[in-house]
Amino acid sequence: DAIPLQREGVAIQRQLFPPSHPLVIAAICAQANFELRAHRYADAERDYRDALDLARRSLGENNPITATVIFSLAAARYAVGDFAGAATLDREAIAAFAAHGSSADPHAIAVRDNLGMALRELGDYANAETLLRGAQVDLRRAFGDSSGFVAANLVQLAVLSRMTDRGLEALAL
């Protein structure tokens, strides 16, 4: 199990650096990522919230690292079916990226994609489609047409098309 090793790594980072150092924040997020993949949702959320608290105190609200931690916390909320909570956090992350002037950052693009998925699950199909299509353009620009990110976005658009009874369009994607 990699999680105990990751916890040990976080403890070492906390010994080497001040608590609010970006490497400590990154180590906590990496630990939360392991927990999320292991379906340890409560642990992942606790660690993302710990990292977010550190990021806000040390880096401020409108820092790309803070925005990325918010985005990660939103993904944890999405994973447990809290689509409204995920959407709220995704909007917060988008605002932080925009305030910093880093809306073209790959993480900022991914947040818009994830917000589109959350809105789709909430039944806000029009706004979901706008976000997913906009993210697709930006993902192609950032990563190229053959990127896995573009492919994943196309799958999300196809799911939306099926949900809105546009099956032929879903097949064309």
Side-chain angles (χ1 to χ4, degrees):
D1 191 5
I3 293 173
L5 294 174
Q6 187 63 39
R7 286 187 204 284
E8 186 178 335
V10 170
I12 292 169
Q13 292 284 11
R14 287 181 187 263
Q15 291 172 356
L16 294 174
F17 301 103
S20 58
H21 193 281
L23 290 176
V24 173
I25 296 166
I28 295 168
C29 284
Q31 175 178 312
N33 291 341
F34 274 103
E35 292 162 343
L36 191 61
R37 285 192 297 275
H39 306 283
R40 294 181 175 183
Y41 301 119
D43 292 338
E45 182 161 348
R46 181 200 62 233
D47 289 334
Y48 284 133
R49 289 193 183 280
D50 180 29
L52 182 56
D53 180 57
L54 292 173
R56 283 181 166 148
R57 283 190 284 127
S58 63
L59 304 172
E61 285 294 325
N62 299 325
N63 182 284
I65 293 172
T66 304
T68 301
V69 177
I70 295 168
F71 163 49
S72 297
L73 179 57
R77 298 309 312 150
Y78 187 93
V80 297
D82 179 10
F83 306 120
T88 297
L89 289 164
D90 283 335
R91 286 184 181 103
E92 187 179 335
I94 289 167
F97 278 118
H100 184 264
S102 53
S103 294
D105 179 284
H107 288 102
I109 299 167
V111 174
R112 292 193 304 275
D113 192 55
N114 283 11
L115 177 57
M117 291 175 7
L119 293 178
R120 180 195 66 210
E121 296 303 321
L122 291 168
D124 186 355
Y125 300 133
N127 285 321
E129 185 163 358
T130 298
L131 282 162
L132 289 169
R133 289 197 183 278
Q136 181 188 126
V137 170
D138 292 340
L139 288 166
R140 287 178 189 274
R141 187 177 307 123
F143 299 107
D145 288 342
S146 61
S147 161
F149 297 114
V150 171
N153 172 271
L154 288 171
V155 168
Q156 297 308 323
L157 279 165
V159 169
L160 177 64
S161 294
R162 293 281 291 159
M163 290 174 79
T164 55
D165 296 323
R166 296 178 293 160
L168 291 177
E169 183 179 329
L171 290 173
L173 290 171

